Amino acid sequence: MVEPTDRSSTAGQRLGAPESFGVSTLEPGLRPPTQPPGKLVSIRVQMLDDTQEVFQISQRSPGKVLFDLVCAHLNLTEGDYFGLEYQDQRKMTVWLDLLKPTLKQIRRPKNTILRFVVKFFPPDHTQLMEELTRYLFALQIKHDLACGRLICNDTSAALMVSHIIQSEIGDFDDTQSWQHLLHNKYLPDQDAIRDKITDCHRKHVGQTPAESDYQLLEIARRLEMYGIRLHPAKDREGIKLNLAVAHTGVLVFQGYTKINAFNWSKIRKLSFKRKRFLIKLRADPNSHHDTLEFAMASRDCCKIFWKICVEYHAFFRLFEEPKPKPKPILFTRGSSFRFSGRTQKQIIDYVKDSELKKVPFERKHSKILSMPPQSSSFKSHMPKEVIHHHYPSSGDSPLGSPHVVVNGNGPVNDQVMGSPSVLGPGQSPERQQLSPLTSPLLTEAGYVRNDDEDEARRKKFPTDKAYFIAKELLTTERTYLKDLQVITESFQSIVGKDEAFPDPVKNLISANYDPVYKFHQGFLKEVEQRLAQWEGRSNAHIKGDYQRIGDVLLKNIQGLRQLTIHLQKHSECLVELERACRTSRKVETLCREFEQQRVCYLPFNIFLLRPLHRLLHYKLILERLCKHYPPTHDDFRDCRAALADISEMVLQLQGTMMKMENFQKLLELKKDLTGIDGLVIPGREFIRLGCLSKLSGKGLQQRMFFLFSDSLIYTSRGMTPSNQFKVHGQLPLYGMTIRESEEEWGVPHSFTLFGQRQSVVVAASCAAEMERWVEDIRLAIDLAEQSSSPDTDLLSSSLSENTEQEMEDELCSSRSSLERQGHRGNTTVHVCWHRNTSVSMVDFSVAVENQLSGNLLRKFKNSNGWQKLWVVFTNFSLFFYKSHQDDYPLASLPLLGYSVTVPSESENIHKDYVFKLHFKSHVYYFRSESEYTFERWMEVIRSATCSASRSLPSTRKDLY
């Protein structure tokens, strides 16, 4: 029901965050911090209970603003024990610096998820004064146990898990406890000690969740690995060790065994020099060494560990926050980093001196109330599993009444429709459930619909937003299955007939893609059947039995987990296929000829990555469903369980995915470039490609630049039939400096690159492009200077090794074989050349997630009718088909450089859900079927057009 205006809002609603039904307070508490003026940016934060919240911060806000927003959302008084961590551009986990601007630290705000976790582990949990704080610490212990970070013996592990279960489901019940352990993973090797866990659980009868948290922390704090985060290092003899920091000082581990400890009282100074981490000890007549030296993987690793040591020392040893150092007048030396926030003593004193009201909060995983309700709002915020005994919902009303959905910009009334409980006057259940959509199977492709009739049907028979989210699953699954067919049918039928193609590679691809294809055939059928029932093509919809999708998703995602071993092998397929192409000219020719076929509308290697990318799509769809549904909805529990499963799969395969993406991009660029050998080498990462003008004796000349982690290559477009780009120069990044030089040369948006052997003056097309290039080049220079040795990673190093005895038809020429063959000349590189723009690896990663399929009506600028087309958005382009059953697109529209807007009044497009694409004189109009699909198309297209500031902070609303 619509909430009364006088009821207490949650902290999350007060801050404009979407509903997540995780840890949240029920009454007003801490005030959100004031923010500097400027555009707002959405930042996603994952809480300790695995929910995600979106916070809006100003572009100039320091990290402390975001951190305070999170604490205010939770009403967390003792927030200084916690921190926000994330993966930076070097794929290293770092803490958000509270003093620096957030957006100077996070380069991909809309694609970065920060994690709110415990940062400082006190020696005694009784120092934590608030029940909420202890609950969050208990969640951290639960995470550390599950991921294998908190190492302990079986007895301690079983006892801790038993307290967690007591907190979640209450007193021991033989059947319920056993089932709960079967469906929840608390330990990596849980099955081996399941009996021990249940024996311990039997002894906790009557124990409240708060008492369970207390007991859990009591056991955990006595463990040697409690709160320990290991940082790999080596001693002077090259023996592998691990460094860690605790409230007592710096610790040294060999494996998981502590072999030394240096208390703060004994340490005179901590420092680092390049890759060496130094501990300088106070003078001790019993010690021969006053300086200990450890080698770490890189300077960054040293600095990250040094920072956390500085913070741990300040937090536990100082009485108050250290004051900032005065800025030197002439020279700076060393890092200006300092600890920011209250010390532990300040927190304890503050809580003791303040008469803080105990605020109720929810435990996401618990079926037991942690504190008695103190307001009328409590009932409506309780999780479904808590309230279903007292407030049973009608089986005829699965969707419920209208309710309020809160997005990043405040409350929006979102009418939940399609339920018999909200029928209008004179409407029957049968008519209410009629779908306003016509199945593509029943219509002629290109049919021009009667617009008035279509509008009337849409307004008369509104449909729940969940239906359109489920329909997005259906439409994208159809495209995904077609993409799998390119591998399992089209490609395999070609290579199966050719004796030159090696059988091991053929069998490897078949063994690891065919089962995935077969599985998704069944998955698609189930989704199609459910959508048909949801739309009302049978009588089942009258009771609402089929107006859900979570059960289908949960069943199939659990089935998909059984295919993880095949998904992990896809990187090997990519490597082996490339090795076969390098070894045999016939195999390479065969693959290149296949890429010229219309069915292969993208570079073939992209299809090989599709199964891993599809996992991301399932995760995003389930996140939208979980945010849309109230926790009391019949579909919410299945969706939440499915989301947990798919999130675990994504996390497990994320490293493989990132390596494959970089490797695939290097292979793709190898086809576009000529005049360079060994583009794919160990440790090289692609960063950005695009157009810049190079200043020479002949003036400014258009050149294509390719930025990698070790070098910058510039090229000109060749005049060969394949339109490859010919390399003119290669600038090593090591030792390079960069200077903006617009005033010096009188050229707008120009900057100079000073290399060790030459300098180059270049100009970007606009200020935004210049900013992207300068930022990425500076990042690449840092990477080049800090990586002392190449990172040997599986995907690239396996190709650079000496191959076996090469065959007679090996590629003996230094030229790429593509010079001898036709090459599709409409790649991303060519589009960037013609549209005078650039694309980064960040953009490619974003594009992976932003894929969409579905029916759209298209109209040209000077035409009258609307043509219905099946449209697929992927790889920065729209691909147009007559219907979803077609094997190849009729046409495509690359979107780099385009703008996407809503038509103005003067354009006389008097229709709902219309967006406009335009580039110079090219204008196209597209109509979608609902507000949800309109917003989705706008969102994904913005990610590929110049209107989206692609590597700068996004100000897009988080709508879902």
Side-chain angles (χ1 to χ4, degrees):
M1 296 178 64
V2 176
E3 299 174 356
T5 55
D6 61 344
R7 77 169 256 189
S8 299
S9 62
T10 66
Q13 288 172 334
R14 294 194 301 278
L15 299 176
E19 291 180 317
S20 68
F21 309 107
V23 176
S24 63
T25 53
L26 302 176
E27 292 185 1
L30 304 176
R31 291 185 179 180
T34 55
Q35 301 202 38
K39 292 182 178 178
L40 294 179
V41 179
S42 295
I43 303 289
R44 193 175 296 275
V45 178
Q46 180 155 322
M47 302 298 187
L48 277 162
D49 61 358
D50 296 325
T51 60
Q52 288 185 9
E53 301 286 347
V54 175
F55 298 93
Q56 300 252 309
I57 62 166
S58 164
Q59 285 185 328
R60 291 184 287 172
S61 294
K64 183 166 172 43
V65 168
L66 176 60
F67 183 77
D68 288 348
L69 280 173
V70 178
C71 292
H73 163 70
L74 294 169
N75 259 336
L76 181 60
T77 306
E78 300 171 289
D80 301 80
Y81 286 103
F82 302 81
L84 292 168
E85 65 176 10
Y86 64 99
Q87 269 204 336
D88 67 6
Q89 65 272 12
R90 299 173 182 85
K91 304 179 184 66
M92 302 179 77
T93 300
V94 295
W95 293 102
L96 184 73
D97 191 324
L98 301 187
L99 298 178
K100 292 182 180 178
T102 300
L103 298 181
K104 289 284 186 182
Q105 304 176 66
I106 303 171
R107 297 189 65 247
R108 299 173 57 190
K110 66 178 179 179
N111 292 89
T112 299
I113 298 177
L114 288 90
R115 293 179 296 277
F116 181 77
V117 294
V118 175
K119 188 174 185 178
F120 302 112
F121 290 81
D124 188 353
H125 62 98
T126 59
Q127 295 172 326
L128 305 174
M129 312 299 285
E130 298 281 301
E131 182 187 335
L132 172 60
T133 313
R134 290 192 292 273
Y135 169 55
L136 295 174
F137 264 75
L139 290 178
Q140 182 69 63
I141 299 303
K142 179 181 171 182
H143 274 273
D144 289 353
L145 280 170
C147 70
R149 180 185 276 169
L150 184 53
I151 305 295
C152 59
N153 60 40
D154 288 351
T155 302
S156 297
L159 193 52
M160 285 191 285
V161 171
S162 71
H163 285 299
I164 295 171
I165 296 173
Q166 175 71 21
S167 173
E168 292 183 354
I169 66 173
D171 292 346
F172 177 81
D173 174 89
D174 205 342
T175 305
Q176 185 188 20
S177 301
W178 194 256
Q179 285 294 321
H180 192 75
L181 275 171
L182 280 175
H183 293 99
N184 293 274
K185 192 86 169 176
Y186 297 102
L187 297 166
D189 53 351
Q190 179 172 297
D191 293 345
I193 60 168
R194 194 181 298 165
D195 292 334
K196 271 191 177 183
I197 295 170
T198 54
D199 288 342
C200 293
H201 188 194
R202 283 189 179 93
K203 301 172 185 175
H204 304 328
V205 175
Q207 187 172 287
T208 67
E211 290 168 343
S212 297
D213 292 346
Y214 187 93
Q215 295 298 332
L216 173 66
L217 296 176
E218 179 65 26
I219 301 162
R221 77 182 181 95
R222 300 176 187 276
L223 300 174
E224 193 165 71
M225 295 302 292
Y226 169 68
I228 295 300
R229 305 293 182 259
L230 299 175
H231 298 255
K234 293 180 181 178
D235 65 10
R236 294 189 185 203
E237 283 73 44
I239 296 172
K240 290 183 178 180
L241 302 169
N242 288 302
L243 300 181
V245 62
H247 66 281
T248 55
V250 179
L251 312 177
V252 183
F253 286 80
Q254 194 159 29
Y256 295 110
T257 304
K258 185 168 68 175
I259 60 172
N260 213 336
F262 303 99
N263 289 340
W264 295 125
S265 59
K266 296 181 180 179
I267 297 174
R268 181 168 60 87
K269 184 179 181 181
L270 294 174
S271 62
F272 64 96
K273 188 175 182 181
R274 296 188 179 91
K275 294 165 56 175
R276 291 180 297 146
F277 184 80
L278 306 172
I279 302 176
K280 295 183 179 179
L281 302 175
R282 300 188 186 280
D284 184 352
N286 298 322
S287 174
H288 300 291
H289 300 288
D290 64 347
T291 302
L292 300 167
E293 181 178 314
F294 299 90
M296 303 187 85
S298 67
R299 180 183 181 275
D300 281 349
C301 295
C302 277
K303 189 170 185 179
I304 288 169
F305 183 60
W306 174 78
K307 280 185 174 181
I308 191 62
C309 288
V310 169
E311 292 184 308
Y312 250 80
H313 176 266
F315 184 78
F316 287 107
R317 297 278 289 183
L318 301 186
F319 286 163
E320 59 183 28
E321 178 182 354
K323 300 291 185 290
K325 298 175 184 176
K327 292 185 177 179
I329 300 172
L330 294 175
F331 302 106
T332 61
R333 184 177 181 182
S335 173
S336 61
F337 175 77
R338 68 180 176 88
F339 169 75
S340 171
R342 295 179 297 184
T343 65
Q344 186 188 32
K345 183 180 185 304
Q346 287 177 307
I347 299 170
I348 293 172
D349 290 346
Y350 172 76
V351 176
K352 283 181 179 177
D353 296 339
S354 305
E355 292 185 5
L356 299 171
K357 184 179 179 182
K358 302 294 182 183
V359 179
F361 64 94
E362 299 166 10
R363 297 166 180 262
K364 175 188 172 190
H365 303 285
S366 179
K367 298 182 180 180
I368 307 155
L369 297 182
S370 59
M371 295 180 66
Q374 296 183 3
S375 75
S376 61
S377 67
F378 194 77
K379 179 177 73 177
S380 61
H381 280 276
M382 288 161 58
K384 175 180 177 182
E385 53 265 34
V386 178
I387 67 172
H388 76 281
H389 300 297
H390 310 290
Y391 309 102
S393 58
S394 167
D396 293 332
S397 180
L399 299 178
S401 303
H403 69 294
V404 174
V405 171
V406 182
N407 65 19
N409 290 304
V412 177
N413 288 323
D414 184 7
Q415 185 81 21
V416 178
M417 302 177 184
S419 167
S421 63
V422 289
L423 292 179
Q427 286 182 289
S428 67
E430 290 84 2
R431 295 200 66 192
Q432 172 70 13
Q433 298 299 325
L434 286 175
S435 170
L437 309 170
T438 309
S439 168
L441 294 168
L442 305 178
T443 59
E444 288 291 323
Y447 168 66
V448 181
R449 298 200 291 198
N450 182 313
D451 296 332
D452 295 333
E453 180 186 359
D454 181 67
E455 294 290 327
R457 287 177 63 80
R458 184 187 295 129
K459 290 173 181 175
K460 193 172 182 181
F461 305 114
T463 307
D464 176 29
K465 180 178 175 181
Y467 165 78
F468 290 109
I469 300 176
K471 187 159 187 181
E472 180 181 333
L473 171 67
L474 169 65
T475 56
T476 52
E477 189 71 10
R478 283 172 172 165
T479 296
Y480 174 53
L481 205 65
K482 282 289 183 185
D483 286 350
L484 285 178
Q485 272 185 297
V486 174
I487 305 169
T488 59
E489 294 182 7
S490 305
F491 181 71
Q492 290 195 41
S493 67
I494 295 293
V495 301
K497 302 171 187 174
D498 198 298
E499 294 180 358
F501 199 89
D503 285 335
V505 181
K506 195 186 307 179
N507 296 335
L508 182 67
I509 293 173
S510 175
N512 290 292
Y513 283 91
D514 290 357
V516 176
Y517 176 61
K518 185 178 180 181
F519 170 81
H520 284 281
Q521 281 181 306
F523 188 5
L524 178 59
K525 285 179 183 176
E526 289 188 39
V527 176
E528 286 178 329
Q529 183 182 13
R530 177 56 56 85
L531 265 290
Q533 291 165 331
W534 198 333
E535 290 169 355
R537 297 182 200 168
S538 69
N539 291 327
H541 66 281
I542 298 174
K543 292 184 179 180
D545 294 337
Y546 294 100
Q547 293 184 342
R548 64 186 193 276
I549 196 67
D551 57 328
V552 175
L553 275 163
L554 179 59
K555 172 194 166 188
N556 282 280
I557 284 172
Q558 287 174 343
L560 188 57
R561 293 183 71 169
Q562 308 305 314
L563 299 175
T564 303
I565 189 168
H566 296 299
L567 298 176
Q568 289 171 330
K569 285 277 190 179
H570 289 178
S571 59
E572 188 180 339
C573 294
L574 185 62
V575 170
E576 292 304 321
L577 180 61
E578 178 59 19
R579 178 179 279 120
C581 289
R582 284 167 59 92
T583 307
S584 167
R585 184 186 299 176
K586 287 181 180 178
V587 172
E588 187 189 34
T589 302
L590 191 70
C591 292
R592 300 300 170 252
E593 286 177 350
F594 177 72
E595 282 197 324
Q596 301 302 311
Q597 296 189 13
R598 288 186 293 181
V599 71
C600 192
Y601 65 101
L602 297 170
F604 180 65
N605 286 339
I606 290 181
F607 291 102
L608 295 176
L609 272 64
R610 279 291 197 249
L612 292 181
H613 293 161
R614 187 60 178 155
L615 302 181
L616 297 174
H617 304 156
Y618 294 141
K619 184 171 180 286
L620 293 171
I621 285 169
L622 280 161
E623 284 174 348
R624 291 189 199 104
L625 285 167
C626 287
K627 286 184 180 178
H628 169 65
Y629 286 133
T632 51
H633 192 282
D634 289 347
D635 209 21
F636 178 76
R637 184 179 295 188
D638 286 339
C639 287
R640 187 173 64 179
L643 177 58
D645 283 348
I646 199 68
S647 298
E648 186 180 332
M649 285 188 70
V650 168
L651 194 62
Q652 184 180 354
L653 294 164
Q654 193 170 17
T656 300
M657 195 184 308
M658 293 173 73
K659 288 180 181 179
M660 283 180 73
E661 285 176 4
N662 182 68
F663 181 56
Q664 185 274 328
K665 187 51 57 183
L666 292 175
L667 295 178
E668 192 177 320
L669 293 179
K670 192 172 77 168
K671 302 176 199 170
D672 284 311
L673 297 178
T674 182
I676 183 171
D677 294 328
L679 190 69
V680 184
I681 61 173
R684 172 172 285 168
E685 292 186 33
F686 163 70
I687 298 176
R688 179 175 289 277
L689 64 85
C691 235
L692 291 170
S693 296
K694 179 176 174 291
L695 188 63
S696 67
K698 298 179 181 179
L700 288 171
Q701 294 183 315
Q702 185 179 5
R703 292 286 181 262
M704 198 71 188
F705 281 72
F706 299 84
L707 177 63
F708 301 96
S709 55
D710 60 344
S711 61
L712 178 68
I713 295 170
Y714 58 93
T715 67
S716 64
R717 191 183 181 198
M719 301 306 292
T720 63
S722 60
N723 287 327
Q724 285 176 283
F725 288 84
K726 184 179 179 181
V727 174
H728 281 261
Q730 186 172 2
L731 305 174
L733 295 180
Y734 188 84
M736 180 184 282
T737 56
I738 185 170
R739 185 180 74 206
E740 297 182 17
S741 50
E742 184 171 327
E743 294 181 5
E744 182 180 352
W745 296 100
V747 178
H749 319 308
S750 65
F751 53 96
T752 305
L753 302 169
F754 296 94
Q756 292 182 333
R757 294 190 298 273
Q758 68 178 113
S759 60
V760 175
V761 180
V762 294
S765 58
C766 62
E769 275 292 300
M770 174 182 167
E771 191 171 348
R772 291 170 193 143
W773 273 107
V774 170
E775 181 182 356
D776 281 355
I777 292 173
R778 282 182 174 147
L779 165 69
I781 291 171
D782 289 344
L783 285 174
E785 292 183 349
Q786 291 167 13
S787 57
S788 58
S789 60
D791 176 25
T792 57
D793 97 25
L794 162 71
L795 293 177
S796 52
S797 62
S798 59
L799 292 174
S800 60
E801 297 166 357
N802 293 326
T803 57
E804 300 174 25
Q805 181 63 42
E806 295 180 331
M807 300 166 64
E808 293 179 5
D809 59 348
E810 72 162 333
L811 304 178
C812 53
S813 168
S814 62
R815 299 183 304 158
S816 166
S817 66
L818 287 170
E819 288 185 270
R820 299 185 290 274
Q821 302 187 34
H823 173 54
R824 182 173 286 169
N826 62 347
T827 64
T828 306
V829 178
H830 291 85
V831 176
C832 286
W833 174 267
H834 289 293
R835 306 265 170 90
N836 202 17
T837 186
S838 68
V839 179
S840 71
M841 192 63 204
V842 171
D843 301 324
F844 283 109
S845 297
V846 170
V848 161
E849 298 179 17
N850 288 316
Q851 297 183 20
L852 197 58
S853 309
N855 285 308
L856 286 175
L857 296 176
R858 184 185 66 180
K859 184 177 113 55
F860 296 107
K861 184 178 181 181
N862 299 316
S863 65
N864 294 321
W866 293 85
Q867 184 185 22
K868 184 178 178 184
L869 294 166
W870 176 261
V871 184
V872 173
F873 171 78
T874 186
N875 209 41
F876 308 108
S877 300
L878 292 176
F879 294 90
F880 303 104
Y881 302 74
K882 284 184 178 180
S883 80
H884 70 84
Q885 295 169 311
D886 291 355
D887 290 329
Y888 54 84
L890 301 171
S892 65
L893 178 64
L895 295 180
L896 291 171
Y898 265 77
S899 295
V900 58
T901 58
V902 177
S904 63
E905 286 290 326
S906 61
E907 292 173 271
N908 295 318
I909 307 291
H910 303 299
K911 303 293 179 187
D912 292 336
Y913 315 134
V914 176
F915 59 90
K916 170 187 174 184
L917 282 170
H918 53 100
F919 174 73
K920 296 183 178 177
S921 61
H922 302 279
V923 178
Y924 306 94
Y925 300 100
F926 294 91
R927 282 173 61 197
S928 52
E929 62 191 356
S930 69
E931 183 176 2
Y932 171 79
T933 49
F934 166 77
E935 293 288 359
R936 285 290 294 129
W937 280 106
M938 288 283 282
E939 180 184 11
V940 298
I941 289 174
R942 279 197 182 115
S943 72
T945 62
C946 63
S947 61
S949 187
R950 290 187 298 277
S951 60
L952 299 174
S954 168
T955 56
R956 174 180 64 80
K957 298 175 185 177
D958 195 318
L959 294 168
Y960 313 113

